[in-house]
């Protein structure tokens, strides 16, 4: 009974102090007490959403080089084009169309992302350009033929052959910067690309 009385007396002391002496994680790390911690918690809350969005949704990147002129970076003296890369249509839907401008992982240099136009799909026959060794090639299953619009200044399938479609990362849909270049990137072949491709008939 003494031990019990001692316990209740001590409990009364704690309850007597009331809310003034009590604290919770919410009070300790509230926005009013610590804005920096609020920012950290907010970032941690939204980070998974942002990560998922960029992995399967869209991302924005600058495009370097002149192998896609005049579609991208038409004027070397002006700022580089910044484009919207749509990963949803590639990663989730696996939708490939002739004429798409796509970003893909280089089959020769690990970690390097290239931007080219998807000229031909599996089963299509392509008349190649130098330095490719064969005059014609039939694109194998699961592969695509990718070329730069400025073929004379592009390292593409005419150098390393058909590219596995699994290496395609995203499709470029819009130029978002600079403002004068704002607009959609259409899916079509240019120059002699269409003339050199015999498309596989649809069954």
């Amino acid at each position: 009974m003494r031990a019990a009385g001692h316990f209740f007396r001590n409990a009364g002391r704690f309850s007597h102090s009331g809310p003034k002496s009590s604290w919770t994680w919410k009070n300790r790390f509230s926005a009013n007490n610590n804005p920096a911690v609020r920012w950290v918690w907010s970032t941690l809350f939204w980070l998974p959403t942002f990560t998922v969005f960029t992995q399967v949704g869209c991302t924005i990147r600058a495009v370097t080089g002149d192998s896609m002129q005049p579609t991208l970076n038409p004027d070397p003296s002006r700022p580089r084009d910044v484009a919207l890369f749509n990963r949803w249509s590639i990663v989730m839907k696996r939708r490939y169309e002739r004429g798409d401008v796509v970003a893909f992982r280089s089959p020769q240099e690990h970690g390097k992302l290239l931007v080219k136009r998807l000229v031909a799909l599996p089963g299509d026959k392509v008349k190649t350009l130098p330095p490719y060794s064969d005059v014609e090639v039939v694109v194998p299953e699961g592969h695509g033929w990718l070329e730069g619009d400025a073929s004379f200044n592009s390292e593409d399938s005419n150098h390393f052959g058909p590219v596995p479609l699994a290496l395609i990362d995203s499709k470029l849909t819009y130029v978002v910067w600079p403002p004068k270049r704002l607009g959609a990137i259409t899916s079509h072949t240019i120059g002699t690309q269409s003339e050199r491709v015999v498309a596989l008939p649809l069954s």
Side-chain angles (χ1 to χ4, degrees):
M1 289 295 293
R2 240 163 100 190
H6 179 71
F7 172 82
F8 284 114
R9 283 197 299 273
N10 288 339
R13 286 175 192 159
F14 280 106
S15 63
H16 177 72
S17 59
K20 291 183 180 180
S21 64
S22 64
W23 59 275
T24 64
W25 284 103
K26 182 177 179 180
N27 291 333
R28 178 65 180 84
F29 295 112
S30 67
N32 293 332
N33 292 337
N34 201 326
V37 174
R38 181 192 181 192
W39 180 85
V40 170
W41 281 111
S42 180
T43 302
L44 291 175
F45 177 81
W46 288 107
L47 185 60
T49 303
F50 178 77
T51 301
V52 171
F53 181 76
T54 56
Q55 288 296 317
V56 300
C58 296
T59 186
I60 294 176
R61 298 190 183 106
V63 180
T64 60
D66 51 9
S67 68
M68 284 300 294
Q69 290 178 350
T71 304
L72 297 168
N73 296 335
D75 188 349
S77 65
R78 295 185 178 274
R80 295 177 299 176
D81 285 348
V82 177
L84 182 69
F85 291 64
N86 178 2
R87 304 197 72 208
W88 178 263
S89 60
I90 300 298
V91 176
M92 301 301 293
K93 294 190 175 182
R94 301 293 178 187
R95 183 180 297 168
Y96 310 99
E97 295 181 15
R98 298 178 190 89
D100 284 350
V101 177
V102 298
F104 64 99
R105 296 184 293 279
S106 172
Q108 293 184 320
E109 190 172 340
H110 178 72
K112 186 176 182 180
L113 203 64
L114 303 175
V115 174
K116 308 294 177 185
R117 193 178 295 275
L118 181 58
V119 174
L121 293 172
D124 293 350
K125 183 185 293 185
V126 181
K127 292 182 179 179
T128 66
L129 298 173
Y132 200 73
S133 56
D134 298 328
V135 177
E136 288 186 344
V137 62
V138 175
V139 181
E141 188 65 31
H143 290 67
W145 189 267
L146 295 123
E147 293 184 355
D149 288 354
S151 56
F152 59 89
N153 194 28
S154 174
E155 187 172 336
D156 49 33
S157 285
N158 289 299
H159 290 75
F160 43 69
V163 175
L165 294 175
L167 292 181
I168 297 181
D169 171 85
S170 51
K171 173 182 174 181
L172 280 70
T173 52
Y174 290 94
V175 173
V176 298
W177 187 265
K180 289 185 178 180
R181 296 268 303 137
L182 187 68
I185 300 174
T186 57
S187 297
H188 65 277
T189 53
I190 69 167
T192 64
Q193 289 174 343
S194 59
E195 300 170 4
R196 293 186 293 105
V197 176
V198 178
L200 178 70
L202 295 176
S203 56

